[in-house]
Amino acid sequence: KAGVTQTPRYLIKTRGQQVTLSCSPISGHRSVSWYQQTPGQGLQFLFEYFSETQRNKGNFPGRFSGRQFSNSRSEMNVSTLELGDSALYLCASSFGAADTEAFFGQGTRLTVV
Amino acid sequence: GQSLEQPSEVTAVEGAIVQINCTYQTSGFYGLSWYQQHDGGAPTFLSYNALDGLEETGRFSSFLSRSDSYGYLLLQELQMKDSASYFCAVRSDSGAGSYQLTFGKGTKLSVIP
C-alpha cells in the first residue's frame, strides 16, 4: 500500500508570508503527527491529530497550526514566516494514537528567504 | 519536561560492532523507540522497547533499563549502508489517554572501510 505522502516536497517562501503543507497518511491510519527537523536539533514535535481532533501540541508559537480532515489527511499552516522557520517538516502516521511504530513521509523542505 | 541525550557522532569500521547510547528524563514513560534516517530520507522505525531487556532484530538489537532511564541500540556486522543518523525517541503519556513521541537530537553514524 502507498506510504505517507507529503506535498509539496520543496517550497521557497518570503518572510512574512504564510504556507500550508499537506500530509496524506497511509490508508486506514487515523493518527497524524507533525515534526520540524533542523540540523543539530533532531525532530521537534509540533502537534498530533487523531480522528480530526488535536490531541497533543508541542512548544511552538501560535503561528503554527494544523487540522485534520475526515479522510485523515492533515494540513499544517505557518503564518508570518520567519527565517528560522526554514526546516524539513515531517509528517508521521499510525493506525491508532497508541501505536508504537510511526511511518514517516519524505517531508517538505521549506526555505524562508 | 522531556529530555533525551545521545552522542552526536560515532564512527566505526565496516564489520565491527557499535553501540549508540540514549539516556532520557521524562514523566509518564511508556517505551523507547529507535529510528534510522539516511541523508535526504524519511526516518524509519527500527525497534521499540517497553520492558527492560534486549530485543533483537537481525543485526540490530535494542536494550532498555527503565530503572536507569537508559537504552542503547547495538549494530553488529556493520555495513556501509548503515551510515545514517539514528534517533532514540521516548513514547510517553501526555494525558487524557494520548501519547507523545519525543525524539533525541540524533547520532550520526559513519561507517568507514
Side-chain angles (χ1 to χ4, degrees), chain B residues 6-51:
Chain B
Q6 55 181 127
S8 58
E9 294 182 14
V10 172
T11 300
V13 177
E14 191 177 14
I17 299 173
V18 71
Q19 178 174 312
I20 300 174
N21 299 321
C22 175
T23 57
Y24 60 87
Q25 288 187 321
T26 187
S27 55
F29 177 84
Y30 268 85
L32 186 70
S33 300
W34 288 91
Y35 284 79
Q36 178 193 60
Q37 185 180 31
H38 286 99
D39 283 347
T44 55
F45 174 82
L46 290 176
S47 67
Y48 177 75
N49 294 66
L51 303 176

Side-chain angles (χ1 to χ4, degrees), chain A residues 34-66:
Chain A
W34 288 89
Y35 297 85
Q36 181 194 66
Q37 185 174 28
T38 53
Q41 291 301 311
L43 284 77
Q44 295 184 281
F45 174 73
L46 282 156
F47 24 66
E48 182 215 354
Y49 287 89
F50 182 77
S51 294
E52 301 179 67
T53 301
Q54 185 181 93
R55 292 169 62 93
N56 283 301
K57 191 176 191 308
N59 295 323
F60 278 81
R63 300 185 296 107
F64 292 80
S65 62

Side-chain angles (χ1 to χ4, degrees), chain B:
Chain B
Q2 329 249 6
S3 68
L4 295 94
E5 295 289 332
Q6 55 181 127
S8 58
E9 294 182 14
V10 172
T11 300
V13 177
E14 191 177 14
I17 299 173
V18 71
Q19 178 174 312
I20 300 174
N21 299 321
C22 175
T23 57
Y24 60 87
Q25 288 187 321
T26 187
S27 55
F29 177 84
Y30 268 85
L32 186 70
S33 300
W34 288 91
Y35 284 79
Q36 178 193 60
Q37 185 180 31
H38 286 99
D39 283 347
T44 55
F45 174 82
L46 290 176
S47 67
Y48 177 75
N49 294 66
L51 303 176
D52 286 357
L54 192 68
E55 296 277 345
E56 298 181 61
T57 309
R59 295 188 297 114
F60 293 4
S61 302
S62 56
F63 172 83
L64 175 66
S65 169
R66 294 174 69 112
S67 59
D68 295 323
S69 297
Y70 164 75
Y72 66 72
L73 179 69
L74 192 72
L75 296 82
Q76 302 182 74
E77 301 172 17
L78 280 172
Q79 302 176 8
M80 299 300 289
K81 68 178 181 179
D82 296 330
S83 293
S85 291
Y86 293 83
F87 295 88
C88 58
V90 163
R91 182 164 167 267
S92 58
D93 181 357
S94 55
S98 63
Y99 302 87
Q100 183 168 318
L101 201 57
T102 304
F103 285 80
K105 294 185 178 181
T107 299
K108 187 173 178 63
L109 171 64
S110 298
V111 180
I112 58 176

Side-chain angles (χ1 to χ4, degrees), chain A:
Chain A
K1 56 185 173 183
V4 178
T5 304
Q6 291 188 244
T7 56
R9 288 293 311 278
Y10 302 92
L11 205 50
I12 300 176
K13 289 286 189 179
T14 305
R15 261 186 311 175
Q17 287 187 311
Q18 74 163 13
V19 66
T20 298
L21 312 181
S22 179
C23 172
S24 293
I26 291 172
S27 178
H29 284 191
R30 295 180 297 165
S31 175
V32 173
S33 297
W34 288 89
Y35 297 85
Q36 181 194 66
Q37 185 174 28
T38 53
Q41 291 301 311
L43 284 77
Q44 295 184 281
F45 174 73
L46 282 156
F47 24 66
E48 182 215 354
Y49 287 89
F50 182 77
S51 294
E52 301 179 67
T53 301
Q54 185 181 93
R55 292 169 62 93
N56 283 301
K57 191 176 191 308
N59 295 323
F60 278 81
R63 300 185 296 107
F64 292 80
S65 62
R67 58 179 175 169
Q68 186 181 35
F69 302 95
S70 58
N71 62 358
S72 293
R73 189 178 70 86
S74 178
E75 289 181 346
M76 68 163 279
N77 183 278
V78 188
S79 62
T80 319
L81 283 166
E82 301 177 359
L83 295 179
D85 297 333
S86 295
L88 180 67
Y89 289 88
L90 291 161
C91 160
S93 81
S94 57
F95 177 73
D99 278 14
T100 58
E101 179 175 356
F103 296 84
F104 282 84
Q106 292 288 107
T108 294
R109 172 77 62 186
L110 171 65
T111 301
V112 182
V113 298

